[in-house]
Amino acid sequence: MSPLVDALRAEALTAAAFAPYGQVIECAGHASYAINAGSSQRFSDLAQLESDAAGRLALSIFRAAAQALPCRLHTLERHPLGSQAFVPLAGQRFVVVVAETADPGTLRAFVSDGRQGVNFRPATWHHPLLAIDAGEFLVADRIGPGDNCEVIDLAGRGLSVRC
Ligand SMILES: NC(=O)N[C@@H](O)C(=O)O
Ligand code: NI
Protein backbone atom coordinates (compact mmCIF):
# COMPACT_ATOMS: atom_id res chain seq x y z
CA MET A 1 0.00 0.00 0.00
CA SER A 2 1.38 3.44 -0.94
CA PRO A 3 2.68 5.58 1.95
CA LEU A 4 0.51 8.43 3.12
CA VAL A 5 2.15 11.39 1.48
CA ASP A 6 -0.39 14.13 1.72
CA ALA A 7 -2.77 14.58 4.65
CA LEU A 8 -5.63 17.02 4.27
CA ARG A 9 -6.39 18.80 7.54
CA ALA A 10 -10.12 19.05 8.15
CA GLU A 11 -11.35 22.53 8.93
CA ALA A 12 -14.39 23.40 11.04
CA LEU A 13 -17.61 23.05 9.05
CA THR A 14 -19.33 26.41 8.45
CA ALA A 15 -22.14 27.35 6.09
CA ALA A 16 -20.00 29.99 4.40
CA ALA A 17 -17.01 27.74 3.78
CA PHE A 18 -19.21 24.86 2.58
CA ALA A 19 -21.40 27.03 0.33
CA PRO A 20 -19.66 26.05 -2.96
CA TYR A 21 -20.49 22.40 -2.24
CA GLY A 22 -23.95 22.59 -0.68
CA GLN A 23 -25.61 23.43 2.59
CA VAL A 24 -24.86 22.76 6.27
CA ILE A 25 -27.91 21.39 8.11
CA GLU A 26 -27.86 22.91 11.60
CA CYS A 27 -29.84 25.15 13.96
CA ALA A 28 -26.98 27.52 14.65
CA GLY A 29 -27.24 30.73 12.64
CA HIS A 30 -30.83 30.09 11.54
CA ALA A 31 -34.04 31.73 12.72
CA SER A 32 -36.81 29.55 14.11
CA TYR A 33 -40.45 29.98 14.94
CA ALA A 34 -42.72 28.33 17.45
CA ILE A 35 -45.04 25.58 16.24
CA ASN A 36 -47.37 23.03 17.80
CA ALA A 37 -48.70 25.42 20.49
CA GLY A 38 -45.16 26.43 21.37
CA SER A 39 -44.00 22.91 22.16
CA SER A 40 -41.41 23.00 19.37
CA GLN A 41 -39.26 25.47 17.48
CA ARG A 42 -39.12 24.97 13.69
CA PHE A 43 -35.83 25.64 11.92
CA SER A 44 -37.22 25.57 8.43
CA ASP A 45 -35.93 24.81 4.94
CA LEU A 46 -32.28 24.22 5.83
CA ALA A 47 -31.25 22.39 2.68
CA GLN A 48 -32.28 22.21 -0.96
CA LEU A 49 -33.04 18.54 -1.68
CA GLU A 50 -33.07 17.92 -5.42
CA SER A 51 -33.86 15.12 -7.86
CA ASP A 52 -34.31 14.98 -11.61
CA ALA A 53 -37.84 14.28 -12.89
CA ALA A 54 -37.17 10.58 -13.45
CA GLY A 55 -36.07 9.98 -9.88
CA ARG A 56 -37.50 10.60 -6.44
CA LEU A 57 -36.07 11.63 -3.08
CA ALA A 58 -35.80 8.90 -0.47
CA LEU A 59 -34.68 8.60 3.14
CA SER A 60 -32.24 5.87 4.14
CA ILE A 61 -30.09 5.14 7.20
CA PHE A 62 -26.37 4.37 6.97
CA ARG A 63 -25.01 2.46 9.99
CA ALA A 64 -21.40 3.65 9.74
CA ALA A 65 -18.29 2.17 11.34
CA ALA A 66 -15.80 4.60 12.89
CA GLN A 67 -12.82 5.52 10.70
CA ALA A 68 -9.48 5.94 12.46
CA LEU A 69 -7.72 9.20 11.62
CA PRO A 70 -5.66 9.93 9.66
CA CYS A 71 -7.92 8.13 7.21
CA ARG A 72 -6.79 7.09 3.76
CA LEU A 73 -8.92 8.51 0.93
CA HIS A 74 -9.96 5.94 -1.65
CA THR A 75 -12.72 7.42 -3.80
CA LEU A 76 -14.20 10.62 -5.14
CA GLU A 77 -17.72 10.37 -6.42
CA ARG A 78 -20.56 12.60 -7.50
CA HIS A 79 -24.28 12.25 -8.11
CA PRO A 80 -25.29 14.34 -11.13
CA LEU A 81 -29.01 13.54 -10.92
CA GLY A 82 -29.69 14.63 -7.36
CA SER A 83 -28.52 16.00 -4.05
CA GLN A 84 -27.31 13.86 -1.13
CA ALA A 85 -27.68 14.76 2.55
CA PHE A 86 -26.14 13.16 5.65
CA VAL A 87 -27.45 13.92 9.15
CA PRO A 88 -26.04 12.19 12.26
CA LEU A 89 -28.82 10.58 14.31
CA ALA A 90 -26.91 10.55 17.59
CA GLY A 91 -24.42 13.40 17.41
CA GLN A 92 -21.71 11.48 15.64
CA ARG A 93 -18.80 13.54 14.38
CA PHE A 94 -17.85 12.92 10.75
CA VAL A 95 -15.43 14.19 8.15
CA VAL A 96 -16.63 15.65 4.85
CA VAL A 97 -14.19 15.60 1.94
CA VAL A 98 -15.17 17.52 -1.19
CA ALA A 99 -13.55 18.84 -4.35
CA GLU A 100 -14.38 21.69 -6.70
CA THR A 101 -13.49 19.57 -9.74
CA ALA A 102 -12.33 16.05 -10.59
CA ASP A 103 -8.79 17.24 -9.83
CA PRO A 104 -7.74 15.86 -6.42
CA GLY A 105 -5.70 19.04 -6.11
CA THR A 106 -8.97 20.84 -5.32
CA LEU A 107 -9.75 18.56 -2.37
CA ARG A 108 -10.95 20.23 0.84
CA ALA A 109 -11.98 18.65 4.15
CA PHE A 110 -14.37 19.70 6.90
CA VAL A 111 -15.31 18.15 10.23
CA SER A 112 -18.87 18.15 11.59
CA ASP A 113 -19.24 18.49 15.36
CA GLY A 114 -22.09 15.99 15.24
CA ARG A 115 -24.77 18.68 15.50
CA GLN A 116 -24.33 19.47 11.83
CA GLY A 117 -25.39 17.58 8.74
CA VAL A 118 -24.51 18.35 5.13
CA ASN A 119 -26.38 18.34 1.86
CA PHE A 120 -24.26 17.99 -1.27
CA ARG A 121 -25.79 19.81 -4.22
CA PRO A 122 -26.08 17.66 -7.36
CA ALA A 123 -22.76 16.79 -9.03
CA THR A 124 -20.61 17.86 -6.08
CA TRP A 125 -17.45 15.74 -5.91
CA HIS A 126 -17.17 14.11 -2.46
CA HIS A 127 -15.64 11.16 -0.63
CA PRO A 128 -18.12 8.54 0.62
CA LEU A 129 -19.19 8.95 4.24
CA LEU A 130 -16.31 9.04 6.75
CA ALA A 131 -17.65 8.70 10.32
CA ILE A 132 -15.31 9.62 13.17
CA ASP A 133 -17.80 8.18 15.68
CA ALA A 134 -19.66 4.99 14.75
CA GLY A 135 -23.38 5.25 14.43
CA GLU A 136 -26.38 5.86 12.25
CA PHE A 137 -26.83 8.69 9.76
CA LEU A 138 -30.06 9.71 8.07
CA VAL A 139 -29.41 10.02 4.34
CA ALA A 140 -31.68 11.85 1.90
CA ASP A 141 -30.80 11.28 -1.74
CA ARG A 142 -32.18 10.49 -5.15
CA ILE A 143 -33.38 7.01 -6.10
CA GLY A 144 -34.37 6.20 -9.66
CA PRO A 145 -33.24 5.11 -13.11
CA GLY A 146 -29.97 6.05 -14.74
CA ASP A 147 -26.39 6.24 -13.55
CA ASN A 148 -26.28 8.64 -10.62
CA CYS A 149 -22.77 7.87 -9.42
CA GLU A 150 -19.59 8.92 -11.21
CA VAL A 151 -16.45 7.63 -9.49
CA ILE A 152 -12.76 8.53 -9.47
CA ASP A 153 -10.36 6.05 -7.84
CA LEU A 154 -8.01 7.78 -5.40
CA ALA A 155 -6.39 4.55 -4.16
CA GLY A 156 -2.63 4.58 -4.52
CA ARG A 157 -2.31 8.34 -4.40
CA GLY A 158 -1.38 8.30 -0.71
CA LEU A 159 -4.04 10.87 0.16
CA SER A 160 -5.49 11.01 3.68
CA VAL A 161 -7.48 13.27 5.96
CA ARG A 162 -6.87 14.19 9.60
CA CYS A 163 -8.40 16.57 12.13
N1 LIG B 1 -22.99 4.65 -1.91
C1 LIG B 1 -23.80 5.41 -1.22
O1 LIG B 1 -25.01 5.22 -1.19
N2 LIG B 1 -23.22 6.44 -0.49
C2 LIG B 1 -22.30 7.35 -1.09
O2 LIG B 1 -22.95 8.02 -2.15
C3 LIG B 1 -21.78 8.31 -0.08
O3 LIG B 1 -21.59 9.51 -0.42
O4 LIG B 1 -21.53 7.85 1.07
NI1 NI C 1 -22.30 10.03 -2.29
Side-chain angles (χ1 to χ4, degrees):
M1 186 175 291
S2 58
L4 292 181
V5 294
D6 194 2
L8 276 174
R9 179 176 285 277
E11 52 191 284
L13 179 62
T14 67
F18 194 71
Y21 312 100
Q23 302 86 43
V24 176
I25 301 167
E26 60 183 343
C27 296
H30 291 280
S32 65
Y33 56 91
I35 57 169
N36 301 344
S39 66
S40 293
Q41 286 289 314
R42 180 174 172 138
F43 294 80
S44 202
D45 195 12
L46 298 176
Q48 284 68 55
L49 306 185
E50 301 177 62
S51 171
D52 64 336
R56 63 179 175 85
L57 289 167
L59 288 179
S60 304
I61 289 177
F62 286 17
R63 183 172 290 162
Q67 302 295 320
L69 296 179
C71 177
R72 186 179 293 272
L73 302 179
H74 54 77
T75 302
L76 264 187
E77 62 175 35
R78 67 177 178 174
H79 312 301
L81 304 177
S83 59
Q84 187 174 49
F86 294 88
V87 182
L89 287 177
Q92 303 95 271
R93 295 168 301 154
F94 65 109
V95 170
V96 182
V97 176
V98 288
E100 291 268 8
T101 71
D103 175 4
T106 66
L107 282 168
R108 197 168 172 189
F110 300 93
V111 55
S112 163
D113 64 6
R115 296 170 59 86
Q116 301 166 299
V118 293
N119 180 52
F120 299 124
R121 66 179 80 250
T124 294
W125 286 107
H126 61 279
H127 193 283
L129 178 60
L130 293 170
I132 297 173
D133 303 313
E136 295 172 347
F137 292 75
L138 187 66
V139 178
D141 59 6
R142 183 255 188 205
I143 286 180
D147 182 4
N148 190 31
C149 191
E150 296 175 34
V151 176
I152 295 172
D153 184 3
L154 296 181
R157 295 179 188 236
L159 295 169
S160 65
V161 61
R162 60 191 171 98
C163 285

